[in-house]
Amino acid sequence: IFITGIILLIYLNSVINYLSAYIFNLKDIAKDYDKNNQFLFRSMGIILLFINILISFTSIKETALYAGVIICGIFYLLRIIRFIKINLSKHINSFFMFLYLCTVEILPLLYFYKISTL
């Protein structure tokens, strides 16, 4: 259920990005951002594959698990930083960036955290 939720969150985020880009006529920004997200997700997947091997076959299970969580957090921050750089280079209003980050990036994570801790 947890993995399905993460996959749905990623695809829902991509759909919302393209939908908002279509509505506000910002398709080039959406393509850049989606290309960057795909690169970051693939890079994170490769690194987490090795973390998964460490968890499975070594005695440092907890350390590897914490390293995996930290790596996911770092990649998430890189994703947000790249989003800000793309939008500032295209001269998008900062208020709209803030609204997007709150509604599309942060709010679903808070809901997902609330559901997973019930």
Side-chain angles (χ1 to χ4, degrees), residues 1-2 13 20 30 39 46 57 82:
I1 293 173
F2 189 73
N13 189 352
S20 63
F39 173 74
I46 291 170
F57 299 113
R82 183 67 182 146

Side-chain angles (χ1 to χ4, degrees), residues 44-56 64:
M44 185 172 57
I46 291 170
I47 292 171
L48 290 178
L49 176 69
F50 295 114
I51 297 293
N52 192 10
I53 292 170
L54 285 175
I55 291 171
S56 298

Side-chain angles (χ1 to χ4, degrees), residues 103-115:
T103 57
V104 178
E105 297 289 338
I106 297 170
L107 193 64
L109 288 177
L110 292 175
Y111 280 133
F112 193 66
Y113 174 74
K114 182 178 179 180
I115 290 170

Side-chain angles (χ1 to χ4, degrees), residues 39-101:
F39 173 74
L40 286 175
F41 286 141
R42 289 179 182 159
S43 302
M44 185 172 57
I46 291 170
I47 292 171
L48 290 178
L49 176 69
F50 295 114
I51 297 293
N52 192 10
I53 292 170
L54 285 175
I55 291 171
S56 298
F57 299 113
T58 63
S59 62
I60 56 169
K61 295 178 188 324
E62 286 186 28
T63 306
L65 183 66
Y66 290 133
V69 170
I70 290 170
I71 288 170
C72 287
I74 289 170
F75 273 96
Y76 187 73
L77 286 176
L78 286 174
R79 194 172 131 202
I80 290 174
I81 290 169
R82 183 67 182 146
F83 169 76
I84 291 171
K85 281 185 177 182
I86 289 171
N87 285 327
L88 288 178
S89 70
K90 305 286 183 176
H91 304 292
I92 303 297
N93 192 351
S94 299
F95 179 69
F96 292 133
M97 285 192 314
F98 176 75
L99 286 177
Y100 173 83
L101 286 174

